Coordinates of all heavy atoms in Angstrom, one line a residue:
M255 N 86.6 166.3 75.4 CA 85.5 165.4 75.7 C 85.9 164.0 75.4 O 86.4 163.7 74.3 CB 84.2 165.8 74.9 CG 83.0 165.0 75.3 SD 81.6 165.9 74.6 CE 80.6 164.5 74.3
T256 N 85.7 163.1 76.4 CA 86.0 161.7 76.2 C 85.0 161.0 75.3 O 83.8 161.1 75.5 CB 86.1 161.0 77.6 OG1 86.9 161.7 78.4 CG2 86.5 159.5 77.4
P257 N 85.5 160.2 74.3 CA 84.5 159.6 73.4 C 83.7 158.5 74.2 O 84.3 157.9 75.1 CB 85.4 158.9 72.4 CG 86.8 159.3 72.6 CD 86.8 160.0 73.9
L258 N 82.5 158.4 73.9 CA 81.6 157.4 74.6 C 81.9 156.0 74.0 O 82.0 155.8 72.8 CB 80.2 157.8 74.3 CG 79.1 156.9 75.0 CD1 79.2 157.0 76.5 CD2 77.7 157.4 74.5
V259 N 82.1 155.1 74.9 CA 82.4 153.7 74.5 C 81.3 152.8 75.1 O 80.8 153.0 76.1 CB 83.8 153.2 74.8 CG1 84.9 154.0 74.1 CG2 84.0 153.2 76.3
C260 N 81.1 151.6 74.4 CA 80.2 150.6 74.9 C 80.9 149.9 76.1 O 82.0 149.4 76.0 CB 79.9 149.6 73.8 SG 79.0 148.2 74.3
A261 N 80.1 149.8 77.2 CA 80.7 149.1 78.3 C 80.8 147.6 78.1 O 81.5 146.9 78.8 CB 79.8 149.4 79.5
R262 N 80.0 147.1 77.1 CA 80.1 145.6 76.9 C 81.3 145.2 76.0 O 81.8 144.1 76.3 CB 78.8 145.2 76.1 CG 77.5 145.4 77.0 CD 76.2 145.3 76.2 NE 76.1 146.5 75.4 CZ 75.1 146.8 74.6 NH1 74.2 145.8 74.4 NH2 75.0 147.9 73.9
C263 N 81.7 146.0 75.1 CA 82.8 145.6 74.2 C 83.9 146.6 74.0 O 84.9 146.4 73.3 CB 82.2 145.2 72.8 SG 81.6 146.6 71.8
A264 N 83.7 147.8 74.5 CA 84.6 148.9 74.4 C 84.7 149.6 73.1 O 85.6 150.4 72.8 CB 86.0 148.5 75.0
A265 N 83.9 149.2 72.1 CA 83.8 149.9 70.8 C 83.2 151.3 71.0 O 82.4 151.5 71.9 CB 83.0 149.0 69.9
P266 N 83.4 152.2 70.1 CA 82.8 153.5 70.1 C 81.3 153.3 70.1 O 80.7 152.6 69.3 CB 83.3 154.2 68.9 CG 84.5 153.5 68.5 CD 84.4 152.1 68.9
A267 N 80.6 154.0 71.0 CA 79.1 154.0 71.0 C 78.6 154.9 69.9 O 79.2 155.9 69.6 CB 78.6 154.4 72.4
L268 N 77.4 154.6 69.4 CA 76.7 155.4 68.4 C 75.8 156.4 69.0 O 75.6 157.5 68.5 CB 75.9 154.5 67.5 CG 76.7 153.4 66.7 CD1 75.8 152.5 66.0 CD2 77.7 154.1 65.8
L269 N 75.2 156.1 70.2 CA 74.2 157.0 70.8 C 74.1 156.6 72.3 O 74.2 155.4 72.6 CB 72.9 156.7 70.1 CG 71.7 157.5 70.6 CD1 71.8 159.0 70.3 CD2 70.4 156.9 70.0
A270 N 73.9 157.6 73.1 CA 73.6 157.3 74.5 C 72.4 158.2 74.9 O 72.3 159.3 74.4 CB 74.8 157.7 75.4
A271 N 71.6 157.6 75.7 CA 70.4 158.3 76.2 C 70.4 158.2 77.7 O 70.5 157.1 78.3 CB 69.1 157.7 75.6
R272 N 70.2 159.4 78.4 CA 70.0 159.4 79.9 C 68.6 159.8 80.2 O 68.1 160.7 79.6 CB 71.0 160.4 80.5 CG 72.4 159.9 80.4 CD 73.4 160.7 81.2 NE 74.7 160.3 81.1 CZ 75.7 160.9 80.4 NH1 75.4 162.1 79.9 NH2 76.9 160.4 80.3
Y273 N 68.0 159.1 81.1 CA 66.6 159.4 81.5 C 66.4 159.1 83.0 O 67.1 158.4 83.6 CB 65.7 158.6 80.6 CG 66.1 157.1 80.4 CD1 65.8 156.1 81.3 CD2 66.9 156.8 79.4 CE1 66.2 154.8 81.2 CE2 67.4 155.5 79.2 CZ 67.0 154.5 80.1 OH 67.4 153.2 80.0
P274 N 65.4 159.7 83.5 CA 65.1 159.5 85.0 C 64.8 158.1 85.2 O 64.1 157.4 84.4 CB 63.9 160.4 85.2 CG 63.8 161.4 84.1 CD 64.5 160.7 82.9
H275 N 65.2 157.6 86.4 CA 65.0 156.3 86.8 C 64.9 156.2 88.3 O 65.6 157.0 89.0 CB 66.1 155.4 86.3 CG 66.0 154.0 86.7 ND1 65.1 153.1 86.2 CD2 66.7 153.2 87.6 CE1 65.2 151.9 86.7 NE2 66.2 152.0 87.6
S276 N 64.1 155.4 88.9 CA 64.0 155.3 90.4 C 63.9 153.8 90.7 O 63.6 152.9 89.9 CB 62.8 156.0 90.9 OG 61.6 155.4 90.5
W277 N 64.3 153.5 92.0 CA 64.3 152.2 92.5 C 64.1 152.3 94.0 O 64.1 153.3 94.6 CB 65.5 151.4 92.1 CG 66.8 152.0 92.7 CD1 67.4 151.7 93.9 CD2 67.6 153.0 92.1 NE1 68.5 152.4 94.1 CE2 68.7 153.3 93.0 CE3 67.5 153.8 91.0 CZ2 69.6 154.2 92.7 CZ3 68.4 154.8 90.7 CH2 69.5 155.0 91.6
R278 N 63.9 151.1 94.6 CA 63.7 151.1 96.1 C 65.0 150.5 96.7 O 65.5 149.5 96.2 CB 62.6 150.2 96.5 CG 61.2 150.7 95.9 CD 60.4 151.3 97.0 NE 59.1 151.8 96.4 CZ 58.7 153.0 96.7 NH1 59.3 153.8 97.5 NH2 57.6 153.4 96.1
N279 N 65.6 151.2 97.7 CA 66.8 150.7 98.3 C 66.4 149.5 99.3 O 65.3 149.2 99.4 CB 67.6 151.8 99.0 CG 66.9 152.4 100.1 OD1 65.9 151.9 100.7 ND2 67.3 153.6 100.5
G280 N 67.4 149.1 100.0 CA 67.2 148.0 101.0 C 66.3 148.3 102.1 O 65.7 147.4 102.7
S281 N 66.1 149.6 102.4 CA 65.1 150.0 103.4 C 63.7 150.3 102.9 O 62.8 150.7 103.6 CB 65.6 151.3 104.1 OG 66.9 151.1 104.6
G282 N 63.6 150.0 101.5 CA 62.3 150.3 100.9 C 62.0 151.7 100.5 O 61.0 152.1 100.0
E283 N 63.1 152.6 100.7 CA 62.9 154.0 100.3 C 63.1 154.2 98.8 O 64.0 153.5 98.3 CB 63.9 154.9 101.1 CG 63.7 154.8 102.6 CD 64.8 155.5 103.4 OE1 65.9 155.7 102.8 OE2 64.7 155.7 104.6
R284 N 62.4 155.1 98.3 CA 62.5 155.4 96.8 C 63.8 156.2 96.6 O 64.0 157.2 97.3 CB 61.3 156.1 96.3 CG 61.3 156.3 94.9 CD 60.0 157.1 94.5 NE 60.0 157.5 93.1 CZ 59.3 156.9 92.2 NH1 58.4 156.0 92.5 NH2 59.4 157.4 90.9
V285 N 64.6 155.8 95.7 CA 65.8 156.5 95.3 C 65.7 157.0 93.9 O 65.4 156.2 93.0 CB 67.1 155.6 95.4 CG1 68.3 156.3 95.0 CG2 67.2 155.0 96.8
E286 N 65.9 158.3 93.7 CA 65.7 158.9 92.3 C 67.1 159.0 91.7 O 68.1 159.3 92.4 CB 65.1 160.3 92.4 CG 63.7 160.3 93.0 CD 62.7 159.7 92.1 OE1 62.9 159.7 90.9 OE2 61.7 159.2 92.6
G287 N 67.2 158.8 90.4 CA 68.5 159.0 89.8 C 68.3 159.0 88.3 O 67.2 159.2 87.8
L288 N 69.4 158.7 87.6 CA 69.4 158.7 86.1 C 69.9 157.3 85.7 O 70.7 156.7 86.4 CB 70.3 159.7 85.5 CG 69.9 161.2 85.7 CD1 71.0 162.1 85.2 CD2 68.6 161.4 85.0
R289 N 69.5 156.9 84.6 CA 69.9 155.6 84.0 C 70.4 156.0 82.6 O 69.9 156.9 81.9 CB 68.7 154.7 83.9 CG 69.1 153.3 83.5 CD 68.0 152.3 83.7 NE 68.3 151.1 83.1 CZ 67.5 150.1 82.9 NH1 66.2 150.2 83.4 NH2 67.8 149.0 82.4
E290 N 71.3 155.2 82.0 CA 71.8 155.4 80.7 C 71.7 154.2 79.9 O 72.1 153.1 80.3 CB 73.3 155.9 80.8 CG 73.9 156.2 79.5 CD 75.3 156.8 79.6 OE1 76.2 155.9 79.8 OE2 75.5 158.0 79.6
S291 N 71.3 154.3 78.6 CA 71.3 153.3 77.7 C 72.2 153.7 76.5 O 72.2 154.8 76.1 CB 69.9 153.0 77.1 OG 69.1 152.5 78.1
V292 N 73.1 152.8 76.1 CA 74.1 153.0 75.1 C 73.8 152.1 73.9 O 73.6 150.9 74.0 CB 75.5 152.8 75.6 CG1 76.5 153.0 74.4 CG2 75.8 153.8 76.7
L293 N 73.8 152.7 72.7 CA 73.6 152.0 71.5 C 74.9 151.7 70.8 O 75.7 152.6 70.6 CB 72.7 152.8 70.5 CG 72.4 152.1 69.1 CD1 71.5 150.9 69.4 CD2 71.8 153.1 68.2
C294 N 75.2 150.4 70.6 CA 76.5 150.0 70.1 C 76.3 149.3 68.7 O 75.4 148.4 68.6 CB 77.1 149.0 71.1 SG 78.7 148.3 70.5
G295 N 77.0 149.7 67.8 CA 77.0 149.1 66.4 C 77.4 147.7 66.4 O 77.1 147.0 65.4
S296 N 78.1 147.2 67.4 CA 78.6 145.8 67.4 C 77.6 145.0 68.3 O 77.1 143.9 67.8 CB 80.0 145.7 68.0 OG 80.9 146.4 67.2
C297 N 77.4 145.4 69.5 CA 76.6 144.6 70.4 C 75.1 144.5 70.1 O 74.4 143.6 70.5 CB 76.8 145.1 71.9 SG 78.5 144.9 72.4
D298 N 74.6 145.6 69.5 CA 73.1 145.7 69.3 C 72.6 145.2 68.0 O 71.5 145.4 67.6 CB 72.7 147.1 69.7 CG 72.8 147.4 71.1 OD1 72.6 146.5 72.0 OD2 73.3 148.6 71.4
T299 N 73.5 144.6 67.2 CA 73.1 144.3 65.8 C 71.9 143.2 65.8 O 71.2 143.2 64.8 CB 74.2 143.7 65.0 OG1 74.8 142.6 65.7 CG2 75.3 144.8 64.7
D300 N 71.8 142.4 66.8 CA 70.8 141.4 66.9 C 69.6 141.8 67.7 O 68.7 141.0 67.9 CB 71.3 140.1 67.5 CG 72.4 139.4 66.6 OD1 72.3 139.6 65.3 OD2 73.3 138.7 67.1
D301 N 69.5 143.1 68.1 CA 68.4 143.6 68.9 C 67.4 144.1 68.0 O 67.6 145.2 67.3 CB 68.9 144.7 69.9 CG 67.9 145.3 70.7 OD1 66.7 144.9 70.6 OD2 68.2 146.1 71.6
P302 N 66.2 143.5 67.9 CA 65.1 144.0 67.0 C 64.7 145.4 67.3 O 64.4 146.2 66.4 CB 64.0 143.1 67.3 CG 64.5 141.8 67.9 CD 65.8 142.3 68.6
A303 N 64.8 145.8 68.6 CA 64.4 147.2 68.9 C 65.4 148.2 68.4 O 65.1 149.4 68.2 CB 64.3 147.4 70.5
A304 N 66.6 147.8 68.1 CA 67.7 148.7 67.6 C 67.8 148.7 66.1 O 68.5 149.6 65.6 CB 69.0 148.4 68.3
A305 N 67.2 147.8 65.5 CA 67.5 147.6 64.0 C 67.2 148.8 63.2 O 68.0 149.2 62.4 CB 66.6 146.4 63.5
A306 N 66.0 149.4 63.4 CA 65.7 150.6 62.6 C 66.6 151.8 62.9 O 67.1 152.5 61.9 CB 64.2 151.0 62.8
L307 N 67.0 151.9 64.1 CA 67.9 153.0 64.5 C 69.3 152.8 63.9 O 69.9 153.7 63.4 CB 67.9 153.1 66.0 CG 68.7 154.3 66.6 CD1 68.4 155.6 66.0 CD2 68.6 154.3 68.1
L308 N 69.8 151.6 64.0 CA 71.1 151.3 63.4 C 71.1 151.5 61.9 O 72.0 152.1 61.4 CB 71.5 149.9 63.7 CG 71.9 149.6 65.2 CD1 72.0 148.1 65.4 CD2 73.1 150.3 65.6
A309 N 70.0 151.2 61.2 CA 69.9 151.4 59.8 C 69.9 152.9 59.5 O 70.6 153.3 58.6 CB 68.6 150.8 59.3
H310 N 69.2 153.7 60.3 CA 69.2 155.2 60.1 C 70.5 155.8 60.3 O 71.0 156.6 59.6 CB 68.2 155.8 61.0 CG 66.8 155.7 60.5 ND1 66.3 156.3 59.3 CD2 65.7 155.1 61.0 CE1 65.0 156.0 59.2 NE2 64.6 155.3 60.2
L311 N 71.2 155.3 61.3 CA 72.5 155.9 61.7 C 73.6 155.5 60.6 O 74.6 156.1 60.5 CB 73.0 155.4 63.1 CG 72.1 156.1 64.2 CD1 72.5 155.5 65.5 CD2 72.2 157.6 64.2
A312 N 73.3 154.4 59.9 CA 74.3 154.0 58.9 C 74.2 154.8 57.6 O 75.1 154.8 56.8 CB 74.0 152.5 58.5
E313 N 73.1 155.6 57.4 CA 72.9 156.4 56.3 C 73.8 157.6 56.4 O 74.1 158.1 57.5 CB 71.4 156.9 56.2 CG 70.5 155.7 55.9 CD 69.0 156.1 55.8 OE1 68.8 157.4 55.7 OE2 68.2 155.3 55.9
D314 N 74.2 158.1 55.3 CA 75.2 159.2 55.2 C 74.5 160.6 55.0 O 73.5 160.6 54.3 CB 76.2 159.0 54.1 CG 77.2 157.9 54.4 OD1 77.5 157.7 55.6 OD2 77.7 157.3 53.5
G315 N 75.1 161.6 55.5 CA 74.8 162.9 55.2 C 73.6 163.6 55.9 O 72.7 162.9 56.2
P316 N 73.6 164.9 56.0 CA 72.5 165.6 56.5 C 71.4 165.8 55.4 O 71.7 165.6 54.3 CB 73.1 167.0 56.9 CG 74.3 167.1 56.1 CD 74.8 165.7 55.8
P317 N 70.2 166.1 55.7 CA 69.6 166.2 57.1 C 69.4 164.8 57.7 O 69.5 163.8 57.0 CB 68.3 166.9 56.8 CG 67.9 166.5 55.4 CD 69.2 166.3 54.7
P318 N 69.0 164.8 58.9 CA 68.7 163.5 59.5 C 67.6 162.8 58.7 O 66.7 163.4 58.2 CB 68.1 163.8 60.9 CG 68.6 165.2 61.2 CD 68.8 165.9 59.9
P319 N 67.8 161.5 58.5 CA 66.9 160.7 57.6 C 65.5 160.7 58.2 O 65.3 160.7 59.4 CB 67.5 159.3 57.6 CG 68.5 159.3 58.6 CD 68.9 160.6 59.0
P320 N 64.4 160.7 57.3 CA 63.1 160.6 57.8 C 62.9 159.3 58.6 O 63.4 158.3 58.3 CB 62.2 160.5 56.5 CG 63.1 160.9 55.4 CD 64.5 160.7 55.8
G321 N 62.2 159.5 59.7 CA 61.9 158.3 60.6 C 62.9 158.2 61.7 O 62.8 157.3 62.5
L322 N 64.0 159.0 61.7 CA 65.0 158.8 62.7 C 64.4 159.0 64.1 O 64.7 158.2 65.0 CB 66.1 159.8 62.5 CG 67.3 159.8 63.5 CD1 67.9 158.4 63.5 CD2 68.3 160.8 63.3
A323 N 63.6 160.0 64.3 CA 63.0 160.3 65.6 C 62.2 159.1 66.1 O 62.2 158.7 67.2 CB 62.2 161.5 65.6
D324 N 61.4 158.5 65.2 CA 60.6 157.3 65.5 C 61.5 156.1 65.9 O 61.2 155.4 66.8 CB 59.7 156.9 64.3 CG 58.6 158.0 64.1 OD1 58.2 158.7 65.1 OD2 58.1 158.0 63.0
A325 N 62.6 156.0 65.1 CA 63.5 154.9 65.4 C 64.2 155.0 66.8 O 64.3 154.1 67.6 CB 64.6 154.8 64.3
V326 N 64.5 156.3 67.1 CA 65.1 156.5 68.5 C 64.1 156.2 69.6 O 64.4 155.6 70.6 CB 65.6 158.0 68.6 CG1 65.9 158.4 70.0 CG2 66.8 158.3 67.7
D327 N 62.9 156.7 69.3 CA 61.8 156.4 70.3 C 61.5 154.9 70.5 O 61.4 154.5 71.6 CB 60.5 157.1 69.9 CG 59.4 157.0 70.9 OD1 59.7 157.4 72.1 OD2 58.3 156.6 70.6
A328 N 61.5 154.2 69.4 CA 61.3 152.7 69.5 C 62.4 152.0 70.3 O 62.1 151.2 71.2 CB 61.1 152.1 68.1
W329 N 63.6 152.4 70.0 CA 64.8 151.8 70.7 C 64.7 152.2 72.2 O 64.9 151.3 73.1 CB 66.1 152.3 70.1 CG 67.3 151.9 70.9 CD1 67.8 150.7 71.1 CD2 68.1 152.8 71.7 NE1 68.9 150.8 71.9 CE2 69.1 152.0 72.3 CE3 68.1 154.2 71.9 CZ2 70.1 152.6 73.1 CZ3 69.0 154.7 72.7 CH2 70.0 154.0 73.3
L330 N 64.5 153.5 72.5 CA 64.5 153.9 73.9 C 63.4 153.3 74.7 O 63.6 153.0 75.9 CB 64.5 155.4 73.9 CG 64.8 156.1 75.3 CD1 66.1 155.5 75.9 CD2 64.8 157.6 75.2
T331 N 62.2 153.1 74.1 CA 61.1 152.5 74.8 C 61.5 151.1 75.3 O 61.2 150.8 76.4 CB 59.9 152.5 73.9 OG1 59.5 153.8 73.6 CG2 58.7 151.8 74.5
T332 N 62.2 150.4 74.4 CA 62.6 149.0 74.8 C 63.8 149.1 75.8 O 63.8 148.4 76.8 CB 63.0 148.2 73.6 OG1 61.8 148.1 72.7 CG2 63.5 146.8 74.0
A333 N 64.7 149.9 75.5 CA 65.9 150.0 76.4 C 65.6 150.5 77.8 O 66.2 150.0 78.8 CB 66.9 151.0 75.8
R334 N 64.6 151.3 78.0 CA 64.3 151.8 79.3 C 63.7 150.7 80.2 O 63.8 150.9 81.4 CB 63.2 152.9 79.2 CG 63.7 154.2 78.7 CD 62.6 155.2 78.7 NE 62.4 155.7 80.0 CZ 62.0 156.9 80.3 NH1 61.9 157.8 79.4 NH2 61.8 157.2 81.6
H335 N 63.2 149.7 79.6 CA 62.6 148.6 80.5 C 63.5 147.4 80.7 O 63.1 146.4 81.3 CB 61.3 148.2 79.8 CG 60.3 149.4 79.8 ND1 59.7 149.8 81.0 CD2 59.8 150.2 78.8 CE1 58.9 150.8 80.7 NE2 59.0 151.1 79.4
R336 N 64.7 147.5 80.2 CA 65.6 146.4 80.4 C 66.2 146.4 81.8 O 66.4 147.5 82.3 CB 66.8 146.4 79.4 CG 66.3 146.1 78.0 CD 67.5 146.0 77.1 NE 67.0 145.7 75.8 CZ 67.4 146.3 74.7 NH1 68.3 147.2 74.7 NH2 66.9 145.9 73.5
I337 N 66.4 145.3 82.4 CA 67.0 145.3 83.7 C 68.4 144.6 83.7 O 68.6 143.7 82.8 CB 66.1 144.5 84.7 CG1 65.8 143.1 84.3 CG2 64.8 145.3 84.9 CD1 65.1 142.3 85.3
P338 N 69.3 145.0 84.5 CA 70.6 144.4 84.5 C 70.5 142.9 84.9 O 69.7 142.5 85.7 CB 71.4 145.2 85.6 CG 70.5 146.4 85.9 CD 69.1 146.0 85.5
D339 N 71.5 142.1 84.4 CA 71.6 140.7 84.8 C 72.2 140.6 86.2 O 73.3 141.1 86.4 CB 72.5 140.0 83.7 CG 72.8 138.6 84.1 OD1 71.9 137.9 84.6 OD2 74.0 138.2 84.0
P340 N 71.5 140.0 87.1 CA 72.0 140.0 88.5 C 73.4 139.3 88.6 O 74.2 139.7 89.4 CB 70.9 139.2 89.3 CG 69.7 139.3 88.4 CD 70.2 139.5 87.0
A341 N 73.6 138.3 87.8 CA 74.9 137.6 87.9 C 76.1 138.5 87.5 O 77.1 138.5 88.1 CB 74.9 136.3 87.1
T342 N 75.8 139.3 86.4 CA 76.8 140.2 85.9 C 77.1 141.3 87.0 O 78.2 141.7 87.2 CB 76.4 140.8 84.6 OG1 76.2 139.8 83.6 CG2 77.4 141.8 84.1
L343 N 76.0 141.8 87.6 CA 76.2 142.8 88.7 C 77.0 142.2 89.8 O 77.9 142.9 90.4 CB 74.8 143.3 89.2 CG 74.1 144.2 88.2 CD1 72.7 144.5 88.8 CD2 74.8 145.4 88.0
D344 N 76.7 141.0 90.2 CA 77.4 140.4 91.3 C 78.9 140.2 91.0 O 79.8 140.5 91.8 CB 76.9 139.0 91.7 CG 75.5 139.1 92.4 OD1 75.1 140.1 92.9 OD2 74.8 138.0 92.4
T345 N 79.2 139.8 89.8 CA 80.6 139.7 89.3 C 81.3 141.0 89.4 O 82.4 141.2 89.9 CB 80.7 139.1 87.9 OG1 80.1 137.8 87.9 CG2 82.1 139.0 87.4
E346 N 80.6 142.1 88.8 CA 81.2 143.4 88.8 C 81.4 144.0 90.2 O 82.4 144.6 90.5 CB 80.4 144.4 88.0 CG 80.5 144.1 86.5 CD 79.7 145.1 85.6 OE1 79.1 146.0 86.2 OE2 79.7 144.9 84.4
E347 N 80.5 143.7 91.1 CA 80.6 144.1 92.5 C 81.9 143.5 93.1 O 82.6 144.1 93.8 CB 79.4 143.8 93.3 CG 79.5 144.3 94.8 CD 78.4 143.9 95.6 OE1 77.5 143.1 95.2 OE2 78.3 144.4 96.8
T348 N 82.0 142.2 92.9 CA 83.1 141.4 93.5 C 84.4 142.0 93.0 O 85.4 142.3 93.7 CB 83.0 139.9 93.2 OG1 81.8 139.4 93.7 CG2 84.2 139.2 93.7
L349 N 84.5 142.3 91.6 CA 85.7 142.8 91.1 C 86.0 144.2 91.6 O 87.1 144.6 91.9 CB 85.6 142.9 89.5 CG 85.6 141.6 88.8 CD1 85.2 141.8 87.3 CD2 86.9 140.9 88.9
W350 N 84.9 145.0 91.8 CA 85.1 146.4 92.4 C 85.6 146.3 93.8 O 86.5 147.0 94.2 CB 83.7 147.1 92.3 CG 83.8 148.5 92.9 CD1 84.3 149.6 92.4 CD2 83.3 148.9 94.2 NE1 84.2 150.7 93.2 CE2 83.5 150.2 94.4 CE3 82.6 148.2 95.2 CZ2 83.2 150.9 95.5 CZ3 82.3 148.9 96.3 CH2 82.6 150.2 96.5
R351 N 85.0 145.4 94.6 CA 85.4 145.3 96.0 C 86.9 144.8 96.2 O 87.5 145.2 97.1 CB 84.5 144.4 96.8 CG 83.1 145.0 97.0 CD 82.2 144.2 97.8 NE 80.9 144.8 97.9 CZ 80.5 145.8 98.8 NH1 81.4 146.3 99.6 NH2 79.3 146.2 98.8
T352 N 87.3 144.0 95.2 CA 88.7 143.5 95.3 C 89.7 144.4 94.6 O 90.9 144.2 94.6 CB 88.8 142.1 94.7 OG1 88.4 142.1 93.3 CG2 88.0 141.1 95.5
G353 N 89.2 145.5 94.0 CA 90.0 146.5 93.3 C 90.4 146.1 91.9 O 91.4 146.6 91.4
D354 N 89.7 145.1 91.4 CA 90.1 144.6 90.0 C 89.2 145.2 88.9 O 89.3 144.8 87.8 CB 90.0 143.1 90.0 CG 91.1 142.5 90.9 OD1 92.2 143.0 91.0 OD2 90.7 141.5 91.6
L355 N 88.4 146.1 89.2 CA 87.5 146.7 88.2 C 88.0 148.0 87.7 O 88.4 148.8 88.5 CB 86.1 146.8 88.7 CG 85.0 147.3 87.7 CD1 84.9 146.3 86.5 CD2 83.7 147.5 88.3

């Protein structure tokens, strides 16, 4: 199994969540799919929604620390509503089309 890495910095990811997501295509038709949010110990340190979850994941040993499920829920609630930066998407599309991605 390939280790999960952060797409922003290529560091090992701490957690990934996949969930249903839909959007409208150029014709206005609904497209169903999945979306993924990745928690990164480097990139997400300044994200208030991730703070509690990062703190729980930093704790050692089983069993899972109390409040972990609540911290995951709080992070995912915020992560699910984030939208991609259009400028970054345009840059990645250009790189993909030219074969440089």
Side-chain angles (χ1 to χ4, degrees):
M255 186 167 147
T256 305
L258 184 63
V259 297
C260 174
R262 296 168 285 177
C263 71
L268 300 173
L269 177 72
R272 289 190 183 108
Y273 42 88
H275 178 70
S276 65
W277 63 94
R278 302 250 178 229
N279 65 15
S281 302
E283 298 169 347
R284 186 179 172 110
V285 178
E286 300 289 334
L288 292 174
R289 186 170 172 189
E290 181 176 83
S291 292
V292 174
L293 181 69
C294 176
S296 299
C297 296
D298 293 320
T299 56
D300 294 331
D301 181 357
L307 183 53
L308 289 170
H310 282 297
L311 292 174
E313 294 179 16
D314 289 330
L322 180 60
D324 291 336
V326 170
D327 185 53
W329 169 71
L330 191 52
T331 296
T332 299
R334 287 182 76 145
H335 296 288
R336 290 188 179 132
I337 57 171
D339 174 41
T342 301
L343 287 176
D344 288 344
T345 300
E346 288 182 1
E347 179 185 12
T348 300
L349 290 171
W350 177 76
R351 288 186 184 280
T352 59
D354 295 322
L355 183 64

